[in-house]
Amino acid sequence: MVGGAAGVVWLVLPVMTIKGEVPVAAGRGEPVAGASVQGPEPEAARRSTAQDPEDHSGYYSDGSTSPADLVLPLVAVGGVVVLAGYGYVRRTRRARTRTTPGVVSPQPPVTPLPVLERQAGTALVQADDCLRTSREELAFAEDRFGVAAVGPFAGALREAERELSAAFAIRVRYEHGVPAPEEEAARRQALAGIVGRCAEAGRRLDAEAPGFDQLRALERDMGDALGVAEGRFRELAGRTGAVEATLADLDARHPAPGAPATAAVTGYVEQAKDRLVFATTHLNQARQATDLGDTGRAIRDLRAAEGAISQADTFLTGVDRLVNSLAEAAQLVPAALTGAEAELARARAAAPSDLASAHATLAAVREELTSGAPYDPYDPLDALRRIVRALLPLGAGRDGVLGFAARLVARADISAADGFVGTHRGAVGVDARTRLAEAQRLLDTDPAAAGVLALEARELAEQDVRMHGNPYAGAADEHTSGVGGAVLGGILLGEDPDGGPPLSFGGPDTRKRRGLPPT
């Protein structure tokens, strides 16, 4: 700054010294300033207007400044500017790299890895709930408008399912240590990938939700939608008695010691009745609201009833599927047992090893099969499951009769686990859903492993339900209104005394648009 000021003074000073009269340098032998000159100007005087080569005053006799004398001040000013800029850059760099406490710029807090893991788990559960709810409501629209009309929405649902399947696959690898625990940055990226995939699944559903609402047009045509729901309700109510009788017959035919063959569907008929009671209440309320012109209330009650009807169907269908699986397994057990014994014999001949456990399992199944009781004193599906598992250490069971047996068991176990998660999704967490998703992914390539994962998923889901409990237990109208089962099944969110609002087709943004909190 001092140098700059000096340069400016240097430039301004000559101007300040210039007066109105023209200064003339005094040459040798010339008259002093102020003397009167008479007559024509001598030649010497004319020559005096040029600057004396030895005169370094910096002025011409006519008062002008020499250009050469302006260079040094400009150079000085320029140098000062350069030095000032250099100093500023150095100070900025030091401030950025300084490590002195209290001077470092504050950094945003790093979210702990466990928090990110919980966020990823929440995103998976929410996306899975959105897909299940969307699938249920889509079925009612298809019943009314046909397959072609719901094609775009079914396509969006399939795309969302692929995104969610990829998200679950990332979590499976994460649980197995990929990326490695010491690679924290990579693990953070993997968790971000889970959240991103879930968000994309929700976005695809949200993008189609307005069009889906336009297709159903519940605000303008509630009568037809109610007619479809009431028709499905009547069909299920008629099936309930028949399914209950079938289940009782199964219990009598397969009195397996310890755990009965029907353990996977125990209580399903009662829960189906509970959902139908809830559906009855809300179908009636939807009719009344429609007659009163309260369209918003009518839509809310209709969707609640549709969710309950879908879950009642899941319960009853689960029993029917188990009946079919047990019948198939009973026919397949003899052939599968013979094939397994042959595989075991070949394994002993090729590489004798400790196969005592596999041999004992097959011997126990053979004894149950030849017991000669009038009824099946064993669970044929469980017998088939034990045969498949006995050969897992040998790497067998993917081809031929054993491969068919493994796929039959896996499909039955996956179906049972999926039905349980879907009808209890208000309580089931991310671990059970992850095992189920991986089981579904492995069904075609490794059915034996898929069956094991499906059983793990069912066990984890049941633990979640037991820990969750029933928030409506003991309420006076719990069994007469079915609200407790509807909240447990994720039909209602449970914030309000009556169970809260029902869910519908769409993703997280659709829930926000309809004023629904996230799950």
Side-chain angles (χ1 to χ4, degrees):
M1 293 179 63
V2 173
V8 172
V9 171
W10 196 345
L11 288 173
V12 174
L13 184 60
V15 178
M16 296 175 60
T17 59
I18 297 176
K19 297 181 180 179
E21 51 187 323
V22 177
V24 178
R28 296 183 192 80
E30 294 181 356
V32 297
S36 176
V37 180
Q38 302 293 330
E41 183 180 12
E43 182 66 22
R46 288 197 300 272
R47 286 196 304 269
S48 68
T49 60
Q51 187 179 20
D52 190 338
E54 296 182 3
D55 184 5
H56 302 289
S57 62
Y59 299 97
Y60 290 103
S61 60
D62 60 358
S64 62
T65 304
S66 171
D69 291 327
L70 299 177
V71 173
L72 288 178
L74 292 175
V75 171
V77 172
V80 170
V81 171
V82 171
L83 290 174
Y86 175 72
Y88 173 77
V89 171
R90 287 196 62 186
R91 286 193 302 272
T92 302
R93 288 178 177 175
R94 282 200 303 269
R96 290 176 179 173
T97 59
R98 192 186 304 272
T99 58
T100 304
V103 179
V104 179
S105 301
Q107 298 294 327
V110 177
T111 305
L113 206 59
V115 175
L116 296 179
E117 291 171 351
R118 287 194 296 272
Q119 291 174 352
T122 300
L124 286 167
V125 170
Q126 183 183 63
D128 191 42
D129 283 349
C130 288
L131 261 70
R132 291 178 182 276
T133 302
S134 298
R135 194 180 297 118
E136 290 171 358
E137 188 173 3
L138 184 67
F140 284 93
E142 182 177 322
D143 284 348
R144 180 180 173 191
F145 300 104
V147 176
V150 301
F153 314 111
L157 186 62
R158 288 191 296 271
E159 292 173 356
E161 288 171 344
R162 284 192 289 269
E163 294 291 341
L164 182 59
S165 177
F168 274 121
I170 296 174
R171 189 175 192 272
V172 169
R173 293 193 295 271
Y174 187 91
E175 288 181 335
H176 292 166
V178 181
E182 60 270 16
E183 299 175 4
E184 182 173 335
R187 289 179 77 79
R188 288 177 177 273
Q189 186 176 2
L191 294 173
I194 293 174
V195 174
R197 291 280 191 172
C198 292
E200 180 62 18
R203 187 196 66 78
R204 292 180 183 275
L205 295 176
D206 286 325
E208 298 297 333
F212 184 79
D213 290 343
Q214 291 178 3
L215 174 67
R216 297 204 73 187
L218 297 178
E219 294 83 358
R220 300 190 307 271
D221 195 5
M222 175 63 69
D224 288 347
L226 272 171
V228 171
E230 289 168 344
R232 289 191 62 182
F233 170 84
R234 288 190 293 270
E235 184 268 331
L236 291 172
R239 281 178 57 193
T240 302
V243 171
E244 189 171 20
T246 300
L247 191 58
D249 180 63
L250 282 177
D251 286 332
R253 293 184 57 208
H254 301 285
T262 58
V265 294
T266 298
Y268 271 26
V269 173
E270 289 74 17
Q271 292 188 68
K273 292 178 179 179
D274 182 75
R275 298 297 193 275
L276 291 177
V277 168
F278 179 85
T280 300
T281 301
H282 285 271
L283 285 174
N284 291 336
Q285 292 177 355
R287 279 287 182 192
Q288 295 170 2
T290 301
D291 294 340
L292 296 174
D294 189 351
T295 304
R297 181 69 196 188
I299 293 175
R300 172 175 169 150
D301 284 319
L302 173 65
R303 283 185 166 134
E306 288 175 342
I309 291 169
S310 295
Q311 293 195 10
D313 189 8
T314 300
F315 284 124
L316 298 179
T317 301
V319 176
D320 290 338
R321 285 177 177 169
L322 179 62
V323 171
N324 296 331
S325 296
L326 287 170
E328 286 187 72
Q331 295 178 354
L332 190 59
V333 165
L337 181 58
T338 300
E341 290 169 341
E343 287 284 349
L344 188 60
R346 281 193 292 270
R348 282 179 170 177
S353 59
D354 185 10
L355 299 175
S357 177
H359 178 75
T361 298
L362 298 183
V365 173
R366 175 67 68 183
E367 182 178 357
E368 293 172 2
L369 185 63
T370 59
S371 62
Y375 293 98
D376 300 330
Y378 73 107
D379 177 353
L381 192 59
D382 182 66
L384 209 58
R385 187 182 296 112
R386 286 182 286 155
I387 293 172
V388 171
R389 286 190 174 185
L391 296 184
L392 278 178
L394 305 180
R398 298 188 182 185
D399 301 316
V401 65
L402 293 175
F404 187 83
R407 284 187 289 274
L408 172 62
V409 171
R411 281 196 302 269
D413 292 338
I414 289 174
S415 176
D418 185 62
F420 187 88
V421 171
T423 53
H424 299 80
R425 58 179 178 262
V428 177
V430 67
D431 291 337
R433 298 178 196 236
T434 302
R435 300 292 192 284
L436 176 59
E438 184 67 1
Q440 292 168 333
R441 189 182 71 85
L442 294 176
L443 176 59
D444 295 330
T445 58
D446 193 350
V452 173
L453 287 169
L455 290 178
E456 292 179 3
R458 175 65 182 263
E459 183 178 353
L460 289 170
E462 290 177 349
Q463 291 177 7
D464 289 339
V465 172
R466 287 194 296 269
M467 293 180 63
H468 180 271
N470 183 1
Y472 292 86
D477 61 346
E478 176 197 355
H479 299 291
T480 57
S481 67
V483 171
V487 173
L488 183 62
I491 299 169
L492 304 178
L493 295 182
E495 279 78 13
D496 298 339
D498 64 349
L503 304 179
S504 60
F505 185 99
D509 287 347
T510 302
R511 293 185 174 189
K512 294 177 184 177
R513 177 166 55 86
R514 290 176 176 156
L516 300 174
T519 55

